[in-house]
Amino acid sequence: MTSVIKWQTGMPEQTGLYLVTLSTGKVTSMEWYNPYTSSPYWSEEEGEVGKVVAWCDFKDIKPYRNEERNL
């Protein structure tokens, strides 16, 4: 099974948990807060280095499905 992540740039419209790519090349999860205020922000884990360059909403990732069929 192949999975393709549709990365987006800019700022998400909804508060929530996102899969993100950082400027360092690391992929991790981060929380996005307050998209309707004048200062929205990404939560930062202690020791995390780099800026968010792309993101994907976890809701947009299709779960794994076992495609084997019992005959």
Side-chain angles (χ1 to χ4, degrees), residues 8-68:
Q8 299 184 52
T9 57
M11 296 187 286
E13 294 180 5
Q14 302 292 323
T15 295
L17 186 64
Y18 292 84
L19 182 64
V20 299
T21 298
L22 301 176
S23 57
T24 60
K26 182 178 178 181
V27 175
T28 189
S29 60
M30 288 182 124
E31 190 85 19
W32 173 251
Y33 290 105
N34 301 320
Y36 301 109
T37 67
S38 60
S39 27
Y41 64 96
W42 290 102
S43 66
E44 294 184 16
E45 296 294 322
E46 190 172 323
E48 195 69 70
V49 178
K51 293 183 178 184
V52 173
V53 294
W55 54 270
C56 177
D57 192 331
F58 275 105
K59 293 181 273 184
D60 295 335
I61 299 173
K62 294 180 181 177
Y64 171 77
R65 291 184 187 238
N66 187 347
E67 296 179 0
E68 292 182 16

